[in-house]
């Protein structure tokens, strides 16, 4: 390494400042876009694919794929759907939440295939039926993944019998 | 070797030959998702079982968190410089036993407000509130010498300090005179 300073250039590029301020202004959608980018990058790594493969699959230019993987692309729903088709993976999902339940003061509410399972509260000692076995619903348990429960639920039985149990 | 001004009269950065400044390189890397993905993939063991064990679940969370922290980090520097706040409150001594009043102190900025405070910008304190940046990286181990990329940052700090010494820059007067005389 050359030891002596021999040049000085004052006022270097302000590009980084512009980028930081631009990101701050568009933070709400940039964060979402970046989550999609990270998912793509992880997919490509573990499926042993590259960006050229994705460009070919989507019929887009390499520049578009670079923007896509850098989290700078404001993707439309159409683009996301095309991307999901190309990867054959669900990148984003939209929760089916009925907000009317929330405003009615419900303590807990989930929807299964657009059918509302009624409120579950520990005070009422409620149960739901899983494969005809009465199982206490672990409402108070933290980070409980209800999808495991849903897999085992016979939907119609649950809905029909919901009044009985809740 | 060249020295370049990042923010008027308070924040400078080194760069070598035709490369970008060390500041620009650090910014580009720490905010680049592809770089972060490769970095955390390579250092996954350090991430999951090392100094920050239990703080994040996986590489995906680490990338997302780091990108967010990096933005806050650089945005904070802009706010500090624009408001005219003293950079001494942002930079800390690299060696906790070294006097803050020593000449050309090796320093760092660390995102201490986050649970995963692994982002680092390294620099040399030229004078009260005046720094020259020598690089930046992600430090997942306890000591800088533990991994090649952090060891390299330590080497750069030493080399750049020698460079300032050889150019007789020991305080802001020396630095400003040096800038004016070019």
């Amino acid at each position: 390494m050359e030891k002596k300073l021999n040049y000085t250039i004052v006022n270097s590029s302000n590009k980084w400042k512009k980028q930081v301020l631009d990101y701050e202004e568009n933070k709400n959608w940039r964060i979402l876009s970046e989550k999609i980018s990270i998912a793509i990058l992880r997919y490509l790594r573990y499926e042993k694919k590259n960006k050229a493969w994705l460009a070919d699959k989507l019929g887009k230019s390499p520049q578009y794929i670079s923007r896509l993987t850098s989290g700078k692309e404001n993707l439309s729903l159409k683009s996301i759907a095309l991307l999901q088709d190309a990867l054959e993976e669900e990148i984003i999902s939209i929760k089916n939440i009925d907000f009317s339940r929330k405003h009615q003061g419900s303590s807990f509410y989930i929807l299964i295939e657009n059918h509302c399972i009624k409120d579950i509260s520990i005070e009422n000692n409620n149960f739901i039926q899983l494969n005809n076995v009465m199982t206490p619903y672990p409402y108070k348990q933290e980070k409980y993944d209800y999808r495991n429960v849903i897999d085992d639920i016979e939907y119609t039985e649950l809905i029909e019998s919901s009044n009985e149990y809740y | 070797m060249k020295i370049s001004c990042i923010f008027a009269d308070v924040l400078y950065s080194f760069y070598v030959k035709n490369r970008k400044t060390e500041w620009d390189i650090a910014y580009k890397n720490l905010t680049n998702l592809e770089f972060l993905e490769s970095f955390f993939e390579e250092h996954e063991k350090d991430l999951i079982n090392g100094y920050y064990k239990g703080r994040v679940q996986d590489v995906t969370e680490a990338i997302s968190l780091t990108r967010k922290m990096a933005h806050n980090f650089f945005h904070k520097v802009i706010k500090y410089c624009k408001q005219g706040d003293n950079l001494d409150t942002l930079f800390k001594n690299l060696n906790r036993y070294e006097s803050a009043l020593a000449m050309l102190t090796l320093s760092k900025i660390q995102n201490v407000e986050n649970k995963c405070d692994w982002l680092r910008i390294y620099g040399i304190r030229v004078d009260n509130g005046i720094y020259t940046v020598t690089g930046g990286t992600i430090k997942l181990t306890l000591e800088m010498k533990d991994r090649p990329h952090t060891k390299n940052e330590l080497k750069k700090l030493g080399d750049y300090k020698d460079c300032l010494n050889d150019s007789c820059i020991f305080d802001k007067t020396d630095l400003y005179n040096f800038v004016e005389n070019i």
Side-chain angles (χ1 to χ4, degrees), chain A residues 82-102:
Chain A
L82 285 172
L83 185 63
Q84 293 193 144
D85 288 347
L87 302 184
E88 295 176 6
E89 290 284 349
E90 192 182 60
I91 301 277
I92 66 162
S93 62
I94 298 168
K95 291 176 185 170
N96 290 327
I97 298 176
D98 184 350
F99 284 100
S100 68
R101 306 290 302 167
K102 194 177 179 183

Side-chain angles (χ1 to χ4, degrees), chain A residues 1-10 12 16-17 19-20 23-24 34 42 45-46 51 69, chain B residues 1-5 7 15 23 27 34 37 41 59 67 71 159 162-163 166-167 169 178-179:
Chain A
M1 183 179 281
E2 198 180 340
K3 287 290 180 187
K4 201 167 169 67
L5 289 170
N6 52 5
Y7 294 104
T8 303
I9 296 173
V10 184
S12 72
W16 73 275
K17 270 182 249 174
Q19 286 176 355
V20 171
Y23 187 92
E24 182 66 17
E34 282 172 0
R42 299 301 283 162
R45 179 177 294 279
Y46 281 94
K51 287 199 265 182
T69 53
Chain B
M1 191 184 299
K2 300 176 185 180
I3 189 168
S4 174
C5 186
F7 252 108
Y15 68 96
W23 176 266
Y27 173 78
E34 286 184 50
E37 200 270 339
E41 180 66 22
V59 169
R67 175 64 184 94
H71 168 72
D159 288 346
D162 289 347
C163 176
D166 293 349
S167 305
I169 297 173
F178 181 81
V179 171

Side-chain angles (χ1 to χ4, degrees), chain A residues 7 15 17 44-45 50 59 63 74 78 85 91 93-95 100 102 124 128 132 140 144 146 154-155 157 159:
Chain A
Y7 294 104
K15 200 176 165 187
K17 270 182 249 174
L44 293 177
R45 179 177 294 279
N50 56 26
Q63 289 81 6
N74 189 356
K78 188 181 172 185
D85 288 347
I91 301 277
S93 62
I94 298 168
K95 291 176 185 170
S100 68
K102 194 177 179 183
N124 298 334
I128 59 170
N132 299 323
K140 287 286 182 187
Y144 185 80
Y146 64 79
E154 291 181 12
Y155 297 107
E157 270 190 40
I159 301 303

Side-chain angles (χ1 to χ4, degrees), chain B residues 1-181:
Chain B
M1 191 184 299
K2 300 176 185 180
I3 189 168
S4 174
C5 186
I6 303 295
F7 252 108
D9 298 340
V10 289
L11 193 61
Y12 291 80
S13 180
F14 290 100
Y15 68 96
V16 184
K17 293 180 181 171
N18 295 324
R19 293 172 63 199
K20 290 180 174 181
T21 66
E22 295 286 2
W23 176 266
D24 287 335
I25 294 165
Y27 173 78
K28 194 183 170 193
N29 287 343
L30 297 176
T31 58
N32 184 312
L33 295 177
E34 286 184 50
F35 172 86
L36 294 176
E37 200 270 339
S38 299
F39 178 88
F40 284 115
E41 180 66 22
E42 189 184 335
H43 298 93
E44 192 174 2
K45 279 185 184 169
D46 285 340
L47 179 71
I48 305 298
N49 297 317
Y51 183 73
Y52 291 99
K53 186 179 179 181
R55 308 280 179 96
V56 289
Q57 285 184 335
D58 50 34
V59 169
T60 300
E61 190 186 350
I63 302 166
S64 192
L65 192 63
T66 307
R67 175 64 184 94
K68 189 180 160 190
M69 290 190 301
H71 168 72
N72 292 339
F73 200 76
F74 287 101
H75 193 235
K76 195 172 171 181
V77 173
I78 291 179
K79 280 202 280 186
Y80 259 70
C81 292
K82 273 188 177 172
Q83 290 168 5
D85 293 340
N86 193 325
L87 288 180
D88 283 348
T89 54
L90 199 58
F91 278 90
K92 304 288 172 208
N93 274 13
L94 197 61
N95 182 345
R96 70 185 74 170
Y97 303 112
E98 192 176 7
S99 165
L101 299 172
M103 275 196 299
L104 304 178
T105 322
L106 305 186
S107 312
K108 64 175 177 183
I109 316 180
Q110 184 178 356
N111 58 324
V112 285
E113 64 272 19
N114 296 96
K115 63 171 182 174
C116 303
D117 53 350
W118 53 53
L119 287 182
R120 297 285 188 283
I121 292 287
Y122 297 107
I124 298 166
R125 185 178 184 273
V126 177
D127 209 326
N128 179 24
I130 298 169
Y131 290 83
T132 49
V133 172
T134 63
T137 192
I138 296 165
K139 180 171 163 280
L140 296 173
T141 50
L142 190 61
E143 293 194 41
M144 288 179 81
K145 62 179 171 52
D146 292 342
R147 291 291 174 271
H149 69 284
T150 42
K151 203 173 173 180
N152 184 44
E153 291 297 327
L154 196 57
K155 184 180 177 300
K156 277 179 0 189
L157 275 160
D159 288 346
Y160 285 130
K161 184 174 174 173
D162 289 347
C163 176
L164 288 173
N165 267 321
D166 293 349
S167 305
C168 299
I169 297 173
F170 301 110
D171 58 24
K172 68 177 176 186
T173 313
D174 295 337
L175 184 64
Y176 295 161
N177 284 340
F178 181 81
V179 171
E180 280 173 12
N181 290 334

Side-chain angles (χ1 to χ4, degrees), chain A residues 36-100:
Chain A
I36 294 172
S37 302
I38 295 167
I40 296 168
L41 289 169
R42 299 301 283 162
Y43 175 91
L44 293 177
R45 179 177 294 279
Y46 281 94
E47 294 295 326
K48 295 185 172 53
K49 311 275 190 198
N50 56 26
K51 287 199 265 182
W53 171 86
L54 186 59
D56 187 48
K57 192 94 175 165
L58 287 172
K60 301 277 186 182
S61 66
Q63 289 81 6
Y64 174 82
I65 304 300
S66 289
R67 285 202 308 277
L68 196 63
T69 53
S70 65
K72 291 174 186 166
E73 190 67 18
N74 189 356
L75 290 159
S76 66
L77 289 172
K78 188 181 172 185
S79 305
I80 295 169
L82 285 172
L83 185 63
Q84 293 193 144
D85 288 347
L87 302 184
E88 295 176 6
E89 290 284 349
E90 192 182 60
I91 301 277
I92 66 162
S93 62
I94 298 168
K95 291 176 185 170
N96 290 327
I97 298 176
D98 184 350
F99 284 100
S100 68

